[in-house]
Amino acid sequence: MRMMKRLLPGSLAFFLAFAGYSATRSVQPAVEYDILIKNGLVYDGSLAPPAKMDIAIGGDRIIKVAKSIAGTASRVIDAKGSIITPGFIDLHTHVDDGMYFTENRACLNYLTQGVTTVVVGQCGSSAWPIFEKAEDLISTWTKEGIGPNAAVLVGHGTVRNIVLGMENREPTPEELEKMKAMVKEAMDQGASGLSTGLIYLPGSYAKTPEIIELAKVVAPYGGIYHTHIRNERNNLLNAVREAIEISEKAGLPAHISHFKVMGRANWGLVKDASSVIEEARAKGLTITADQYPYPFTNGYPYSPLIPRATWNGREAADRLTAADVTKIFDHLGDAELIELYKKVTPFYPLSQHQLQFLNGLPRKRLVDFAASSLFEIADFQGPENMRERRLFLKRLADPDEGRKIRQEVRTAIDNPLGPENYVVGICVEKNLEGKSLKEVAALKGKSTEDAAIELDLMGAKCIPFQMGEPDIEYIMKKDWVGTGSDGTAPSYGIGLTHIRSYSTFLRKIKNYALDKPVISMSQAIRSQTSLPARIMKWDDRGWIKEGFKADIVVMDLRGLKTPTSISNPHQYSRGVDYLVINGRLVLEKGTWNGALPGKVLKLKRS
């Protein structure tokens, strides 16, 4: 005790100093934020110029936006030299076809574009397979996770097919009630609205009153009507008017998918169509649209240069038809047909709803369904089919038939577009890739028609450029037009797809806001963030604002690249260094980290 008393003054000082040092090391200050993004140039989703701001994220929300945030965070991202935007919202996609399967659930070709939310179930085809329900898909995606957020639509064509099959007639009152009940069921389960594909079967069989009655089911939920309108060529104005009529009579917003006009003779009609839309908007109707910034269309954009009727000639009746294939299966029993279907369907194993659908099909529809699932007639047609090739070449060698064939090919090329608007995408002669048919003909010293026939016979894949660039730019400037890729989520490297699946959003920024520019950067960002959020009635996404969901893009404009091409469509875009979805990092230094933080965005009842 006496020794301790003697040592106390100095020892106590040392002890207290040591204790304080240890406490400082062991007790760390509390982390205030999950993610802190600093020093970036922020485009908040408005048309205002960008401002240098810091953004703090906690949970799935933006907690703070300020010129400087000094708090601590689990992850700090230095965005100096980069721009920060709300996550991009794709108003029109078909990624549900790929995302149904686990392999494509991340939808990586969209994440690398900065897309954080997709709207699926477009063009009249429900987001879920014909034999399932909205709740099946929503449950699977919720349990297993998805890359981007997704809002699902119920497809009119799917509903019609289930009730009427592919019959070209009006539904009976009883059948219409069944269709309305199916739409209501989907809305009750979380769908955001109704979609139509009025140029596709069976949607094209439906008359306007049928669509109005189904849209009326959606209206009380506060849902939306998305439509691939009935005509995108010379009858564009009437097709737009039909969409407006459905909106007015059903009492809900109408959204026109991939707004455009096709065919050289029709270029410029989008101005008149825009005037029709703006007149309706001036009357208080909510009419909007989306656009993809490319001059060519279709999920598989390649098209033969020799018209099918010209290729077939008089021997068309001797060729394999869908009816021939159906006859092959007609002798099989129902159970045998279902067993065959089980062996080829990608939907494995079959769910209870799938089996119920198959077992409930009338005999003829079951045969047609099984036959079409096993065989695609197109696989037996064209230059790859040696029988058809031999017959065509024989006709081509005949002087009279040869002249007729060449004239038909020339007419088919000249009338809608002209040889300068057909471009070689893929060809065994690589020097021809990227060249127009007009250029190919000049290089080979041949007529347009002979060059076209040669290209088809060598298996070249050519793309018709259906839309005019002035129309694309005119539509893009409209403040009611958002961005929609119309793309898919393909298995990487498999098949030939439109390049819009890989590059729509960054192409719009690079080509039309930076390089030309046609629109300002703020307008480009707005068209794929706050505007689509408003169209879909999402009041907590699409903006960089405190309290909003943390869907955020950090992009280096200097490194922005869209390497995909019509010769090699499977190429990921570059430039998005960091991507945050619902407060979780998904891309880090441009690389996917394996996270699947997306949510199914169910409609909030209005």
Side-chain angles (χ1 to χ4, degrees):
M1 289 294 292
R2 285 195 297 268
M3 183 178 292
M4 289 187 66
K5 287 179 181 178
R6 287 198 303 269
L7 295 175
L8 185 55
S11 299
L12 179 59
F14 178 83
F15 176 80
L16 291 175
F18 182 82
Y21 174 76
S22 299
T24 301
R25 287 181 58 88
S26 61
V27 180
Q28 299 293 329
V31 174
E32 298 176 64
Y33 309 112
D34 292 322
I35 301 174
L36 183 56
I37 306 173
K38 296 183 68 64
N39 305 318
L41 194 62
V42 175
Y43 288 85
D44 65 1
S46 72
L47 291 176
K52 185 179 177 183
M53 305 289 272
D54 291 352
I55 301 170
I57 299 168
D60 64 352
R61 300 272 176 177
I62 297 172
I63 301 299
K64 189 174 182 180
V65 180
K67 289 185 177 180
S68 180
I69 300 175
T72 57
S74 300
R75 181 67 184 271
V76 177
I77 297 171
D78 186 357
K80 186 177 181 180
S82 298
I83 68 168
I84 303 173
T85 77
F88 301 148
I89 298 171
D90 195 326
L91 283 164
H92 186 104
T93 79
H94 297 275
V95 298
D96 41 295
D97 292 340
M99 285 176 65
Y100 184 88
F101 305 102
T102 307
E103 172 192 1
N104 299 320
R105 200 67 53 75
C107 210
L108 190 55
N109 55 318
Y110 279 83
L111 299 183
T112 51
Q113 295 182 61
V115 173
T116 57
T117 304
V118 293
V119 182
V120 299
Q122 296 285 1
C123 295
S125 180
S126 290
W128 48 96
I130 194 171
F131 33 65
E132 292 190 352
K133 298 178 183 291
E135 63 184 1
D136 296 326
L137 185 72
I138 292 172
S139 175
T140 298
W141 283 1
T142 300
K143 290 177 182 175
E144 298 181 7
I146 51 178
N149 303 305
V152 303
L153 301 174
V154 55
H156 159 258
T158 299
V159 169
R160 198 178 211 276
N161 192 6
I162 291 173
V163 177
L164 278 79
M166 302 299 284
E167 296 184 36
N168 185 4
R169 62 175 176 83
E170 294 183 41
T172 65
E174 294 77 17
E175 288 169 335
L176 184 58
E177 287 303 314
K178 287 182 181 177
M179 293 169 69
K180 290 166 69 174
M182 292 179 66
V183 172
K184 183 179 187 303
E185 178 186 61
M187 297 302 294
D188 284 335
Q189 293 175 359
S192 292
L194 175 74
S195 78
T196 56
L198 299 181
I199 68 162
Y200 302 117
L201 297 178
S204 59
Y205 295 149
K207 296 182 179 179
T208 309
E210 176 184 321
I211 309 299
I212 292 171
E213 288 305 305
L214 296 179
K216 284 180 178 178
V217 176
V218 173
Y221 292 84
I224 189 171
Y225 171 58
H226 283 244
T227 179
H228 181 140
I229 54 179
R230 207 175 288 272
N231 187 283
E232 295 176 324
R233 295 181 182 273
N234 61 324
N235 205 22
L236 174 69
L237 300 187
N238 285 333
V240 168
R241 291 189 183 104
E242 181 185 31
I244 294 169
E245 179 186 357
I246 292 166
S247 170
E248 185 170 23
K249 292 183 176 178
L252 81 174
H255 182 79
I256 296 172
S257 300
H258 36 62
F259 184 39
K260 61 182 179 291
V261 71
M262 297 190 291
R264 184 172 56 182
N266 305 314
W267 291 351
L269 267 182
V270 293
K271 295 181 179 179
D272 295 329
S274 295
S275 295
V276 171
I277 292 170
E278 286 165 352
E279 287 172 11
R281 287 171 58 85
K283 293 176 182 177
L285 295 178
T286 304
I287 312 295
T288 54
D290 62 61
Q291 174 198 43
Y292 54 79
Y294 299 94
F296 51 98
T297 185
N298 293 329
Y300 178 87
Y302 311 91
S303 178
L305 299 172
I306 303 171
R308 175 55 53 192
T310 300
W311 175 264
N312 288 339
R314 291 190 300 270
E315 294 87 2
D318 298 330
R319 285 170 164 78
L320 191 69
T321 67
D324 295 326
V325 175
T326 300
K327 288 177 185 177
I328 297 171
F329 295 96
D330 198 29
H331 70 284
L332 297 174
D334 291 4
E336 292 174 297
L337 289 170
I338 292 173
E339 285 304 311
L340 275 176
Y341 173 76
K342 286 181 180 179
K343 292 179 180 178
V344 297
T345 179
F347 305 113
Y348 174 85
L350 292 187
S351 69
Q352 182 182 0
H353 285 147
Q354 294 169 347
L355 288 171
Q356 286 174 349
F357 169 77
L358 292 170
N359 286 316
L361 286 176
R363 169 67 188 177
K364 183 179 183 307
R365 287 189 61 195
L366 178 61
V367 174
D368 290 343
F369 184 81
S372 62
S373 298
L374 274 103
F375 288 99
E376 286 283 348
I377 296 301
D379 293 342
F380 298 91
Q381 298 173 333
E384 295 87 353
N385 183 307
M386 292 309 295
R387 181 177 185 276
E388 290 195 352
R389 188 182 182 97
R390 180 185 176 193
L391 290 171
F392 176 80
L393 288 172
K394 182 179 179 181
R395 289 172 47 232
L396 187 64
D398 180 87
D400 292 337
E401 277 291 298
R403 276 193 296 272
K404 182 182 177 183
I405 288 171
R406 288 180 173 87
Q407 183 57 51
E408 289 178 359
V409 170
R410 181 70 188 230
T411 300
I413 290 168
D414 282 348
N415 282 354
L417 295 174
E420 68 275 14
N421 289 308
Y422 287 85
V423 176
V424 179
I426 300 173
C427 186
V428 66
E429 296 181 13
K430 293 300 179 184
N431 65 305
L432 300 183
E433 290 183 351
K435 290 184 169 56
S436 70
L437 175 58
K438 183 177 181 178
E439 292 172 321
V440 171
L443 279 171
K444 289 182 172 288
K446 294 185 175 183
S447 66
T448 296
E449 54 270 33
D450 280 334
I453 291 168
E454 181 179 335
L455 285 169
D456 266 14
L457 287 173
M458 72 170 73
K461 307 294 183 186
C462 299
I463 294 180
F465 279 29
Q466 296 274 13
M467 286 83 79
E469 188 63 26
D471 283 355
I472 293 172
E473 295 180 6
Y474 181 84
I475 292 169
M476 191 175 294
K477 294 175 182 178
K478 295 297 180 181
D479 64 2
W480 41 266
V481 175
T483 307
S485 68
D486 201 9
T488 64
S491 297
Y492 183 64
I494 301 298
L496 294 174
T497 187
H498 196 299
I499 62 175
R500 63 195 181 194
S501 296
Y502 283 88
S503 54
T504 293
F505 288 79
L506 299 192
R507 173 185 168 85
K508 185 171 185 177
I509 290 172
K510 185 177 188 303
N511 284 32
Y512 295 96
L514 293 176
D515 293 350
K516 292 193 176 179
V518 173
I519 54 176
S520 69
M521 178 66 75
S522 294
Q523 186 176 347
I525 299 301
R526 175 187 175 272
S527 75
Q528 47 204 45
T529 56
S530 63
L531 175 61
R534 190 182 77 202
I535 289 170
M536 294 303 296
K537 298 182 181 178
W538 295 327
D539 57 7
D540 60 354
R541 295 181 193 273
W543 290 86
I544 301 291
K545 287 183 178 180
E546 293 178 3
F548 274 60
K549 294 288 187 180
D551 294 346
I552 296 174
V553 178
V554 179
M555 184 191 313
D556 179 4
L557 294 179
R558 297 163 300 183
L560 195 158
K561 289 182 171 53
T562 55
T564 188
S565 70
I566 57 177
S567 300
N568 189 6
H570 293 276
Q571 297 289 311
Y572 292 120
S573 292
R574 299 194 294 273
V576 176
D577 290 336
Y578 295 91
L579 188 68
V580 179
I581 300 178
N582 294 318
R584 291 180 59 190
L585 272 170
V586 180
L587 295 185
E588 302 182 55
K589 296 183 179 179
T591 301
W592 180 46
N593 63 14
L596 296 172
K599 306 292 183 185
V600 178
L601 305 183
K602 295 184 180 181
L603 182 66
K604 297 176 183 177
R605 293 291 290 266
S606 61

